[in-house]
Amino acid sequence: MLIFLLLLIGGCTTFKPVAHKGKTINGTFEANYGGKDFEGFFSLSGGNLRMDVINALGFSVYGLYVKGGDVYVVDYQSNKRYEDLRFSDVDLNSYKALIVGISENFFGLCRNGFKDLVILKCRQFKGVYIPVDFILRSKNRRLRIRLLKVNVKG
């Protein structure tokens, strides 16, 4: 039993926010994609994004990253990086450009949206309006994200 527990914990990771430069947003999120719900932690700063999907025990199992315009997924159990954004029956490949655009322009989204982004609700944090409930549209799917427990630094 102890070996199983060590393997389980060793195969997962805990959330580490992106490096703090200027304004940084951290918090939790809930998402729905194709009828599937998932939740996790997020951090956004300077156009860089990290969103970790957690399991029932609260450990990060997948991480979606945007760094310097590159978008990729990390499977924390195998510690492998994938440019193909398919994980756990979720396919985010059609959202790549939109995810980068949102990451780079997050603080202006409530004023200037994107074509395939529907903003349902914005809230003010430390003098800036940010979207806290929004939908990313693709041809045949929708990804709804709600940001919770938002903390803005900087």
Side-chain angles (χ1 to χ4, degrees):
M1 179 69 170
L2 180 61
I3 293 172
F4 173 74
L5 185 60
L6 289 173
L7 287 173
L8 177 69
I9 292 173
C12 301
T13 185
T14 55
F15 186 74
K16 296 173 189 148
V18 294
H20 172 52
K21 289 185 178 180
K23 286 207 184 302
T24 301
I25 303 171
N26 298 311
T28 62
F29 72 90
E30 293 176 348
N32 180 286
Y33 176 82
K36 292 187 177 221
D37 293 323
F38 50 99
E39 57 187 27
F41 303 99
F42 76 92
S43 181
L44 179 110
S45 181
N48 295 323
L49 170 70
R50 178 176 177 177
M51 294 182 82
D52 279 11
V53 175
I54 60 173
N55 63 14
L57 299 173
F59 291 107
S60 299
V61 290
Y62 297 101
L64 173 69
Y65 290 83
V66 176
K67 286 187 178 180
D70 292 330
V71 183
Y72 58 93
V73 170
V74 174
D75 177 346
Y76 295 129
Q77 292 178 341
S78 65
N79 207 25
K80 291 186 180 178
R81 174 181 162 162
Y82 298 96
E83 304 293 325
D84 185 7
L85 302 185
R86 288 182 213 163
F87 59 95
S88 187
D89 297 329
V90 175
D91 184 357
L92 301 179
N93 285 305
S94 62
Y95 298 108
K96 276 186 179 184
L98 184 57
I99 292 170
V100 171
I102 289 170
S103 300
E104 292 174 347
N105 301 293
F106 196 76
F107 291 104
L109 290 177
C110 290
R111 286 179 273 124
N112 310 321
F114 280 66
K115 177 184 170 208
D116 293 325
L117 175 69
V118 178
I119 297 175
L120 302 173
K121 184 177 181 182
C122 289
R123 285 190 48 206
Q124 184 176 0
F125 296 92
K126 294 192 175 187
V128 294
Y129 283 97
I130 60 169
V132 293
D133 192 357
F134 51 94
I135 298 172
L136 283 67
R137 296 184 301 178
S138 184
K139 290 180 183 177
N140 59 355
R141 294 281 177 133
R142 305 286 184 261
L143 171 63
R144 182 174 182 181
I145 300 174
R146 286 177 295 283
L147 304 183
L148 310 164
K149 300 179 185 175
V150 175
N151 184 16
V152 178
K153 297 179 182 177

